[in-house]
Amino acid sequence: MRKSIIVTGASSGIGKATVIKLVESGYQVFGLARRYDSLTSIYSDLASSIENKENQYVAMQCDITKPERFDDIIKDISSKAQGNTIYGLVNNAGYVEPGAIEDITIQDIRKQFEINFFGLVELTKKVLPFMMLDNSQGRIVNISSVSGLISLPLIGAYSASKYALEALTDALRMELWNTNIKVITINPGFVNTNINTVSKPKLDNLIEKRSSRFSKTYRKYMYNVPKGLPSDSVADIILNAISSPKPKTRYIIGSTALKLGVRMKKFVPDRIFFSQVAKRIH
Ligand SMILES: NC(=O)c1ccc[n+]([C@@H]2O[C@H](COP(=O)([O-])OP(=O)(O)OC[C@H]3O[C@@H](n4cnc5c(N)ncnc54)[C@H](OP(=O)(O)O)[C@@H]3O)[C@@H](O)[C@H]2O)c1
């Protein structure tokens, strides 16, 4: 029997690559996102050797900021899930609200949290009882970011949402310690996805409509973000976290220099770290 896994933010980038990897590795996957056309286009990306594709991958429209629909969606999933239980939840939906704190509105910051944090928490709370049925094995994989470990300027709202996710994930991991459900954090660095395309009109707006003192800096750093790793390489690690009997609690994904930088940051005095980063934006 195939184990059933829910992946949010499945319509592009890391989520889409994860859906394909999981289905092709023998899992039944429920892919959630707002863009249904993009979700269904995944059928044509699945290996032709997969039989009965509509059963192995189920596309489901879901806006993570509309929790009033979660009960219906989860009921639908559990009725279609093999064995009517849910083995895994990959909380991946997210976006970057770009801009210095002085440039973005409180509504922008709330929206960042609605999608990257509150939506994820509400969905997890709804899925958890199904995962806990008969105390079977389970995996909750939360896609954080290196920005959940180091806060950087001009993406403060995004970092704050990922720091909140880190705190919640750590608490949940300890609360589920005596169950068979393992909670895993993924911290990617730069990954080549649509994330910057989604942010670009927001940046254009900050530069054109508001006379920000950071306009030059936005152009310098945020229009030229390094392309980063392919989504596939993150999906490989998510697959490993899902299928390994003893997954790590955290996977930091990126170059050796990035991993080392993250690990070493706690040894750098605050004043040195903050002044060096601040120098680059002023
Ligand atoms: N790319 C990077 O460099 C990077 C680095 C570290 C962490 N991450 C994290 O990786 C995760 C995936 O991002 P990505 O890079 O793959 O970006 P992406 O290609 O833009 O994908 C984002 C996904 O989130 C979904 N989403 C956004 N808002 C949603 C909403 N309201 N309801 C439901 N789904 C929503 C989008 O689907 P719809 O638009 O169809 O709803 C899309 O499938 C995010 O949590 C991000 O913070 C990315």
Side-chain angles (χ1 to χ4, degrees):
M1 192 175 69
R2 286 179 172 237
K3 289 176 177 167
S4 303
I5 300 182
I6 300 171
V7 177
T8 70
S11 58
S12 81
I14 295 170
K16 177 176 172 176
T18 301
V19 167
I20 295 170
K21 201 67 77 176
L22 289 171
V23 174
E24 293 181 353
S25 303
Y27 293 95
Q28 181 195 31
V29 179
F30 295 85
L32 275 51
R34 291 166 302 182
R35 287 170 297 157
Y36 190 68
D37 286 356
S38 305
L39 287 174
T40 52
S41 74
I42 293 178
Y43 287 111
S44 58
D45 295 316
L46 292 171
S48 51
S49 56
I50 293 172
E51 289 170 12
N52 210 352
K53 286 184 182 170
E54 281 73 20
N55 270 354
Q56 307 318 337
Y57 165 59
V58 184
M60 289 189 154
Q61 194 169 38
C62 171
D63 184 336
I64 202 89
T65 64
K66 301 222 158 57
E68 62 277 10
R69 285 212 52 231
F70 288 177
D71 279 333
D72 287 345
I73 290 169
I74 291 163
K75 217 164 139 195
D76 198 12
I77 291 176
S78 63
S79 70
K80 290 178 177 141
Q82 300 190 2
N84 303 117
T85 58
I86 298 168
Y87 168 75
L89 171 62
V90 181
N91 281 313
N92 165 74
Y95 82 105
V96 176
E97 186 69 58
I101 303 304
E102 68 193 45
D103 284 343
I104 56 176
T105 64
I106 194 72
Q107 288 84 359
D108 293 334
I109 300 174
R110 284 190 199 281
K111 186 175 165 217
Q112 180 75 93
F113 270 77
E114 286 301 334
I115 295 181
N116 288 15
F117 183 72
F118 289 115
L120 177 157
V121 179
E122 288 220 51
L123 185 69
T124 305
K125 281 174 68 62
K126 295 280 184 192
V127 173
L128 203 46
F130 290 91
M131 294 182 77
M132 290 177 98
L133 285 176
D134 64 34
N135 199 27
S136 48
Q137 292 277 332
R139 299 280 185 276
I140 296 175
V141 181
N142 285 346
I143 311 302
S144 177
S145 167
V146 164
S147 302
L149 301 172
I150 300 177
S151 181
L152 290 174
L154 314 184
I155 51 165
Y158 178 69
S159 280
S161 72
K162 294 295 189 182
Y163 267 60
L165 176 59
E166 290 283 335
L168 183 111
T169 307
D170 285 351
L172 184 64
R173 176 179 300 122
M174 291 182 273
E175 288 160 8
L176 294 177
W177 202 259
N178 67 343
T179 72
N180 288 318
I181 299 170
K182 301 207 184 310
V183 181
I184 298 135
T185 311
I186 308 279
N187 298 94
F190 290 114
V191 186
N192 190 8
T193 69
N194 278 337
I195 203 157
N196 295 314
T197 315
V198 172
S199 298
K200 185 159 179 306
K202 291 163 182 282
L203 271 180
D204 292 342
N205 185 50
L206 289 182
I207 292 170
E208 283 159 24
K209 304 224 170 84
R210 299 182 209 173
S211 49
S212 167
R213 66 191 180 104
F214 290 106
S215 289
K216 256 193 189 160
T217 321
Y218 292 143
R219 281 204 192 87
K220 183 171 174 194
Y221 291 115
M222 300 180 75
Y223 282 135
N224 298 305
V225 181
K227 273 213 150 133
L229 296 169
S231 301
D232 261 1
S233 56
V234 182
D236 278 331
I237 288 171
I238 296 171
L239 170 65
N240 183 273
I242 293 271
S243 50
S244 161
K246 282 192 179 168
K248 295 199 274 184
T249 52
R250 177 184 304 286
Y251 296 80
I252 298 173
I253 307 174
S255 64
T256 311
L258 177 113
K259 287 185 202 162
L260 199 67
V262 172
R263 303 262 184 227
M264 296 305 287
K265 157 120 189 341
K266 56 176 170 284
F267 301 111
V268 178
D270 277 354
R271 219 184 145 67
I272 292 181
F273 178 80
F274 294 138
S275 63
Q276 289 306 309
V277 177
K279 254 189 216 163
R280 304 187 68 165
I281 62 161
H282 292 292

